[in-house]
C-alpha cells in the first residue's frame, strides 16, 4: 500500500520499446509512466499517485502494467489516504 509515491523495478533482457501504464480496476488508463525505447537492464519507475491531469487519484486498487517485446507483467498498487 502507498499513500503517495510507489516505485517498481523490472529488468529488460534486451533493449526495446516499453510502455508502462497505471490502470484503474475497470482497465481505464490513469497515467503513463513510460512509453518508448528503453535500454536493457534494470529499470525503475516511480508513480506519484496522480492521474494524467496531475490530480491525486482516489483511494483504491490500481494496476501497474508493463509491456515490452510482447511480454506483459502487471502488479497491483493499493492507494490509501
Amino acid at each position: 500500500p502507498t499513500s503517495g509515491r510507489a516505485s517498481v523495478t523490472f529488468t529488460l533482457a534486451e533493449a526495446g520499446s516499453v510502455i508502462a501504464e497505471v490502470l484503474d480496476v475497470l482497465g481505464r488508463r490513469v497515467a503513463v509512466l513510460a512509453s518508448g525505447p528503453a535500454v536493457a537492464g534494470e529499470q525503475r519507475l516511480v508513480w506519484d499517485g496522480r492521474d494524467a491531469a496531475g490530480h491525486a487519484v482516489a483511494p483504491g486498487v490500481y494496476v501497474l502494467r508493463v509491456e515490452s517485446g510482447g511480454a506483459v507483467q502487471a502488479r497491483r498498487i493499493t492507494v490509501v489516504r
Side-chain angles (χ1 to χ4, degrees):
T2 182
S3 61
R5 301 170 63 98
S7 66
V8 64
T9 58
F10 60 96
T11 302
L12 294 178
E14 56 187 51
S17 182
V18 170
I19 182 156
E21 55 193 356
V22 177
L23 308 171
D24 67 13
V25 293
L26 297 177
R28 297 178 295 206
R29 183 181 292 157
V30 173
V32 176
L33 305 182
S35 179
V39 298
E42 187 172 281
Q43 310 291 318
R44 181 172 183 259
L45 297 173
V46 176
W47 180 44
D48 62 3
R50 298 184 179 278
D51 64 16
H55 303 109
V57 298
V61 176
Y62 296 85
V63 176
L64 172 59
R65 180 182 181 277
V66 179
E67 181 177 353
S68 179
V72 176
Q73 290 194 359
R75 298 285 184 262
R76 271 186 279 160
I77 299 173
T78 302
V79 175
V80 295
R81 301 270 186 227

